[in-house]
Amino acid sequence: MTTTLTDTKSGKMLIDWLRDAHAMEKQAEQMLSNTARRIENYPELKARLERHLDQTRRQADLVRGCIERLGGDTSMIKDMTGQVAGLGQALSGLFVGDEVVKGSMASYVFEQMEIASYRTLMAAAEHCGDLETKRVCETILREEEEMADWLENQLPDITIRFLSLAERGGTAKH
Ligand code: MG
Ligand code: FE
């Protein structure tokens, strides 16, 4: 990859957005592991969250690799962005009441944000002529789309299971 990319405005922007994406993945990692750990009565959801947690860890490494390859300073990598902080709180809060339903909704919204981020990154990378970053982002995008599709399909089942358990047990166990 060209070493002059960091000197252009677009190149700097691309690296900035990659840093944001890295922060987003670190946030996702925390949310997924917190949520998966708490879930008991939804084995499929738990397993899918754990699988996506593995994918998310690899995604963070891949994004970091793009930043490093472009000569970006990885010590500047932020741990969190304000953009995702609110969603993070929604997912890492105590599991009370209907939190498994709200957590699933928040996970779905988070995946949509990731999809938007990687679509943006793909366009920026192409504009900068960084086809390797574009390829990496496309690979990650597919995983986010798969996760979003899965959650979208499962939301009704999760909701119905939650309501059934609540009716049966009186208490809403997760
Ligand atoms: Mg991700
Ligand atoms: Fe994701």
Side-chain angles (χ1 to χ4, degrees):
M1 202 45 238
T2 171
T3 51
T4 56
L5 198 55
T6 46
D7 300 327
T8 69
K9 277 204 165 124
S10 297
K12 285 187 178 121
M13 201 74 246
L14 174 62
I15 292 171
D16 250 32
W17 287 341
L18 284 166
R19 283 204 190 98
D20 289 341
H22 186 270
M24 179 176 71
E25 295 303 349
K26 297 311 275 185
Q27 178 71 7
E29 194 180 317
Q30 250 182 352
M31 284 165 36
L32 287 163
S33 76
N34 285 344
T35 308
R37 204 184 318 124
R38 287 181 150 95
I39 291 171
E40 285 171 26
N41 290 323
Y42 304 77
E44 278 180 42
L45 175 62
K46 189 182 175 85
R48 189 62 180 91
L49 291 174
E50 281 169 349
R51 198 182 134 210
H52 197 57
L53 175 59
D54 287 340
Q55 291 177 323
T56 297
R57 289 191 173 118
R58 280 195 298 275
Q59 292 170 354
D61 289 343
L62 285 169
V63 171
R64 175 185 269 272
C66 288
I67 298 167
E68 283 169 352
R69 191 167 37 76
L70 290 167
D73 183 1
T74 47
S75 70
M76 294 271 293
I77 276 179
K78 293 166 271 180
D79 286 336
M80 197 188 278
T81 63
Q83 186 187 19
V84 295
L87 278 169
Q89 279 164 7
L91 274 187
S92 50
L94 280 174
F95 259 49
V96 291
D98 61 351
E99 210 63 28
V100 70
V101 175
K102 295 223 170 81
S104 301
M105 287 168 64
S107 297
Y108 176 71
V109 172
F110 197 95
E111 293 307 322
Q112 295 298 340
M113 186 177 68
E114 292 186 288
I115 287 167
S117 299
Y118 288 109
R119 284 200 197 287
T120 300
L121 276 168
M122 280 175 68
E126 179 164 0
H127 178 83
C128 291
D130 181 1
L131 297 184
E132 176 62 11
T133 293
K134 189 190 173 193
R135 189 195 60 77
V136 167
C137 290
E138 189 168 13
T139 304
I140 297 174
L141 175 66
R142 297 295 163 241
E143 293 177 346
E144 312 298 22
E145 285 175 337
E146 274 175 30
M147 186 61 183
D149 287 350
W150 190 89
L151 284 165
E152 187 175 354
N153 287 325
Q154 291 298 310
L155 273 168
D157 285 351
I158 292 164
T159 306
I160 287 162
R161 179 160 178 76
F162 165 76
L163 291 174
S164 304
L165 286 171
E167 281 164 13
R168 223 186 302 155
T171 55
K173 273 202 77 187
H174 298 270

